[in-house]
Amino acid sequence: MKEKEAYHHGDLEQKILEEALSWIEKENIVSLSLRGIARNLGVSHNAPYRHFPDKESLLIAISIKGFSQLRQTLQQASNNHPDDAQKRLEAIGVAYIEYAVQNQAYYRVMFGERQKNVRSCPALQQVANEAFAVLVNAIKTGQTKEVFIEETTEQLARVCWSLVHGVSMLAIDDQLMISDSDSILELAQIATKVVSQGLSTRAK
Amino acid sequence: MKEKEAYHHGDLEQKILEEALSWIEKENIVSLSLRGIARNLGVSHNAPYRHFPDKESLLIAISIKGFSQLRQTLQQASNNHPDDAQKRLEAIGVAYIEYAVQNQAYYRVMFGERQKNVRSCPALQQVANEAFAVLVNAIKTGQTKEVFIEETTEQLARVCWSLVHGVSMLAIDDQLMISDSDSILELAQIATKVVSQGLSTRAK
DNA sequence: ACCTGAACACCGTTCAAGT
DNA sequence: ACCTGAACACCGTTCAAGT
């Protein structure tokens, strides 16, 4: 298994990422420290600087990985419902919330307080846009079929994104007075149904 | 103007709260420090400890004030539309988002990463519940009039809360690719309209 | 690509002793 | 209800000198 013998780790970069996520899972993002990660991994306190120029870069690396996973998750959900635009939108929404709840550490980093805003990192901006694009495409398709109302596609996508982001964040932060994941899934289904109804051109 | 002459401040507690909010507005919540606040106010680095036992308590005090303001804002919006349940709900939603955008520092503290979850502070829990209750009441009224669909009131309230929270947070964090406050208001109107339509029992 | 170890300027928090 | 000043254990980050 070991590719190198001279040092403690074969792939310190990977271990740093894992340890950071596990730390955030157990504690929180505020208490996360590079020194703490190094300590837990048994390496010197400046070993991480061989892989990440600073703490912010570590968080950005996690964000990029997270948005890439999210994009893939949303794309799969979208592909599963090629015919019914309303069901497709709901499936994307539920998949989004499920990703967030099941990958809380990633999600917190992706949307946590950053020193600089998203635009400062083009690679992050790029993959975040790609995830957003899955939603935009689903809505555009529904509009073309005249299943969804005529409104700027991007605006409607922002509405949908906001809803699932709100559910996800409040659920992760335990501010919904419901804790078991069954209830959250139920809420996700109701939420996505409400918004897909709200976007619908058809009477009920 | 000065009520006390013996020391530098008449009301240091108030000034600490103001300085903290102004700091968060200009920088961010991560870089906020008690020592920095004391420095900016020209008092010793442990003077704040006369008013707040620790940093967390300062953030909780700000949160409580924020939720109290939010509750009042939502209640006013609700009162302005006594007859039309749908318009009332939309007005509450728009008022929520406007509060968040216009009071970004408060809102970030209210929903930022806390060391302990909300439940650890009963006073905070209480006032947050009161704000949430405005939304619950508005939905319940609409359901009684059979304007809104039959679903658990709390679940529908969570859906609405999630939507406006999502819009607010993404707007504050500048992740919606729109910056001017006019566009955000427009988005708020579309978002609340979509969800009030989604909750509606009536055909369009 | 790591190590040790020192260094600097920052934290939160707690003292002790003052006014 | 503040002050000064020391102290402790922590940070992020940057060195210098090693393997």
Side-chain angles (χ1 to χ4, degrees), chain A residues 7 43-47 51:
Chain A
Y7 300 104
V43 299
S44 78
H45 69 266
N46 40 23
H51 300 277

Side-chain angles (χ1 to χ4, degrees), chain B residues 42 92 119 127 142 167:
Chain B
I92 293 175
R119 283 156 187 69
V127 64
V167 173

Side-chain angles (χ1 to χ4, degrees), chain B residues 33-177:
Chain B
S33 76
L34 290 182
R35 290 180 99 114
I37 292 170
R39 206 181 305 126
N40 287 356
L41 292 178
V43 299
S44 78
H45 69 267
N46 40 24
Y49 285 89
R50 291 288 123 195
H51 300 279
F52 304 99
D54 52 26
K55 191 179 170 181
E56 183 83 350
S57 301
L58 169 59
L59 295 177
I60 287 176
I62 292 174
S63 288
I64 290 176
K65 215 176 145 193
F67 272 110
S68 172
Q69 292 171 358
L70 179 61
R71 183 201 58 77
Q72 199 178 348
T73 303
L74 300 186
Q75 189 60 63
Q76 278 175 9
S78 181
N79 294 344
N80 285 343
H81 299 267
D83 300 321
D84 189 330
Q86 223 163 330
K87 276 203 177 139
R88 163 181 280 180
L89 186 63
E90 292 170 23
I92 293 175
V94 172
Y96 184 109
I97 295 167
E98 278 183 332
Y99 174 84
V101 171
Q102 286 164 12
N103 301 274
Q104 302 197 11
Y106 272 106
Y107 200 80
R108 259 196 258 266
V109 175
M110 288 156 70
F111 289 98
E113 317 237 25
R114 200 60 30 80
Q115 303 283 11
K116 291 151 192 167
N117 55 4
V118 199
R119 283 156 187 69
S120 62
C121 178
L124 177 54
Q125 175 85 348
Q126 164 75 14
V127 64
N129 281 344
E130 285 173 15
F132 186 68
V134 178
L135 197 51
V136 172
N137 287 333
I139 293 172
K140 197 177 285 170
T141 307
Q143 286 180 312
T144 307
K145 292 182 183 169
E146 296 183 3
V147 176
F148 292 147
I149 56 177
E150 290 179 31
E151 182 56 79
T152 323
T153 313
E154 273 72 22
Q155 286 285 64
L156 295 186
R158 287 187 190 105
V159 172
C160 296
W161 188 277
S162 296
L163 176 65
V164 292
H165 175 64
V167 173
S168 300
M169 263 306 189
L170 295 176
I172 288 176
D173 286 350
D174 213 15
Q175 278 170 328
L176 292 173
M177 326 292 173

Side-chain angles (χ1 to χ4, degrees), chain A:
Chain A
M1 269 306 178
K2 45 187 168 180
E3 301 169 3
K4 301 177 184 188
E5 313 224 8
Y7 300 104
H8 290 3
H9 297 89
D11 193 353
L12 185 61
E13 181 168 333
Q14 184 60 30
K15 297 219 170 177
I16 290 173
L17 291 169
E18 288 169 10
E19 179 60 28
L21 286 162
S22 139
W23 182 303
I24 294 166
E25 199 97 40
K26 282 178 288 194
E27 313 283 329
N28 56 63
I29 218 172
V30 177
S31 72
L32 180 72
S33 77
L34 289 181
R35 291 180 99 114
I37 291 171
R39 206 182 305 127
N40 288 356
L41 292 178
V43 299
S44 78
H45 69 266
N46 40 23
Y49 285 89
R50 291 289 122 197
H51 300 277
F52 304 98
D54 52 25
K55 191 179 170 182
E56 183 83 350
S57 301
L58 168 59
L59 295 177
I60 287 176
I62 293 174
S63 288
I64 290 176
K65 215 175 147 195
F67 271 110
S68 173
Q69 292 170 358
L70 179 61
R71 183 200 59 77
Q72 199 177 346
T73 303
L74 299 186
Q75 190 60 62
Q76 278 175 9
S78 180
N79 293 345
N80 285 343
H81 299 267
D83 300 322
D84 189 330
Q86 222 163 330
K87 275 206 176 134
R88 162 180 282 180
L89 186 64
E90 292 170 22
I92 293 175
V94 171
Y96 185 109
I97 295 167
E98 278 182 332
Y99 174 83
V101 170
Q102 285 164 12
N103 301 274
Q104 302 197 11
Y106 273 105
Y107 200 79
R108 258 196 258 268
V109 175
M110 289 156 70
F111 290 97
E113 318 237 25
R114 201 60 28 80
Q115 303 283 9
K116 291 151 192 167
N117 55 3
V118 198
R119 284 155 185 70
S120 63
C121 178
L124 177 54
Q125 176 84 350
Q126 164 74 15
V127 64
N129 280 344
E130 285 173 15
F132 187 67
V134 178
L135 197 51
V136 172
N137 287 335
I139 292 173
K140 196 177 285 170
T141 307
Q143 286 180 313
T144 307
K145 293 182 183 168
E146 295 184 2
V147 176
F148 292 147
I149 56 176
E150 290 180 31
E151 182 55 79
T152 323
T153 313
E154 274 72 22
Q155 286 286 63
L156 295 186
R158 289 188 190 104
V159 172
C160 295
W161 188 278
S162 296
L163 176 66
V164 293
H165 175 64
V167 172
S168 300
M169 264 305 189
L170 294 176
I172 288 176
D173 286 349
D174 214 15
Q175 278 170 330
L176 290 173
M177 325 293 173
I178 46 175
S179 44
D180 57 303
S181 59
D182 284 351
S183 306
I184 290 173
L185 179 59
E186 191 192 280
L187 176 62
Q189 283 161 347
I190 295 174
T192 51
K193 185 143 244 143
V194 165
V195 77
S196 91
Q197 285 291 331
L199 292 187
S200 171
T201 52
R202 292 176 297 198
K204 292 160 212 175

